[in-house]
Amino acid sequence: ALCAGAGRPTFISMPNALARGVRQASDFLMALQLTGAAKEESIANLQVRLPVVVIGGGLTAIDTATESLAYYPIQVEKFLARYEALVAERGEAPVRARWLPAEAEIADEFLTHGRAIRAEREAAKRAGRAPKIRELLKSWGGATIAYRRWLTDSPSYTLNHEEVEKAMEEGIVFAEGLSPVKVEIDGNGQATALECARMEPGDDGRLQDTGTTVEIGRAHV
């Protein structure tokens, strides 16, 4: 079998394209699989925050969005379990003493989400039902695919529409007619949102920039 892969990553030339929190899809997928980050015993440093925004309309974009949502609960539950173990051993103050403010913010976010997922799993077990993890992920922003054309034009749809259908069943949102303009960042240089130009078909049927922008991916408050 000759497995050549999808070729080089597509780099989008826009402001803050290399900001903290922005990754190439192929880089993320390789890191997730090769480091075993999704395994409970793994100590791989692979950090994902919600909401997730994936740029593109190919099958790699679909994979990235679905794998992000699948990995996130594992990540925050592992973080919560290890945090509790360290606090029990050393106390909370020593554990948090050397964290920078930005690190403490992310840690508290993960702890809050980890506890919410744990509580939902326990409630589901008592009620004899499946845990509603998907609904929690959606309430925290979920994963959105931003594509400059329409869903029916996307390579993922034309090549394997069943995979797109399954992704949507997992809660993935497909945002059409959005062309990335720049990555918004905070005072720490961390990506906070993606600004996109709204695209609409012109009289000749070709997509044109409407002159309006849409912001997606900013964390829910």
Side-chain angles (χ1 to χ4, degrees):
L2 177 61
C3 304
R8 294 183 300 173
T10 301
F11 178 79
I12 300 175
S13 181
M14 62 179 173
N16 304 320
L18 296 177
R20 289 173 52 202
V22 180
R23 301 190 67 148
Q24 298 297 309
S26 55
D27 171 50
F28 165 74
L29 292 172
M30 288 288 284
L32 181 63
Q33 299 302 327
L34 295 182
T35 64
K39 297 179 180 178
E40 184 176 349
E41 67 275 11
S42 173
I43 57 172
N45 183 22
L46 180 60
Q47 184 184 97
V48 173
R49 297 180 72 186
L50 296 181
V52 169
V53 177
V54 182
I55 300 172
L59 290 170
T60 300
I62 298 292
D63 287 345
T64 302
T66 53
E67 292 289 355
S68 296
L69 282 193
Y71 171 64
Y72 188 79
I74 298 171
Q75 172 192 236
V76 296
E77 287 182 295
K78 282 201 304 182
F79 187 88
L80 174 60
R82 292 172 182 179
Y83 175 81
E84 290 178 336
L86 285 171
V87 168
E89 178 184 328
R90 305 178 185 180
E92 186 171 29
V95 170
R96 304 177 68 98
R98 302 179 69 177
W99 290 354
L100 298 174
E103 294 170 334
E105 177 184 346
I106 295 172
D108 289 335
E109 180 182 297
F110 285 2
L111 292 172
T112 298
H113 291 176
R115 289 172 180 134
I117 291 174
R118 174 192 288 171
E120 170 57 23
R121 293 193 191 281
E122 292 173 351
K125 185 176 181 180
R126 290 193 299 269
R129 58 171 174 82
K132 299 178 180 178
I133 307 301
R134 186 182 309 166
E135 287 77 4
L136 285 175
L137 297 175
K138 185 176 180 179
S139 72
W140 298 327
T144 300
I145 296 175
Y147 185 52
R148 68 184 308 273
R149 300 186 66 84
W150 316 124
L151 171 61
T152 52
D153 298 327
S154 67
S156 57
Y157 184 85
T158 56
L159 292 173
N160 191 345
H161 68 274
E162 292 92 348
E163 187 167 339
V164 178
E165 180 182 5
K166 292 298 182 182
M168 290 183 171
E169 290 177 0
E170 293 297 320
I172 306 301
V173 176
F174 201 104
E176 302 174 299
L178 297 180
S179 181
V181 174
K182 68 176 180 179
V183 176
E184 300 284 355
I185 59 174
D186 61 17
N188 298 311
Q190 174 76 36
T192 56
L194 178 68
E195 183 179 321
C196 298
R198 172 73 70 184
M199 309 295 288
E200 294 289 349
D203 295 336
D204 58 359
R206 296 182 180 181
L207 282 177
Q208 298 178 358
D209 188 339
T210 63
T212 61
T213 58
V214 178
E215 183 186 87
I216 58 174
R218 190 171 293 278
H220 293 188
V221 179

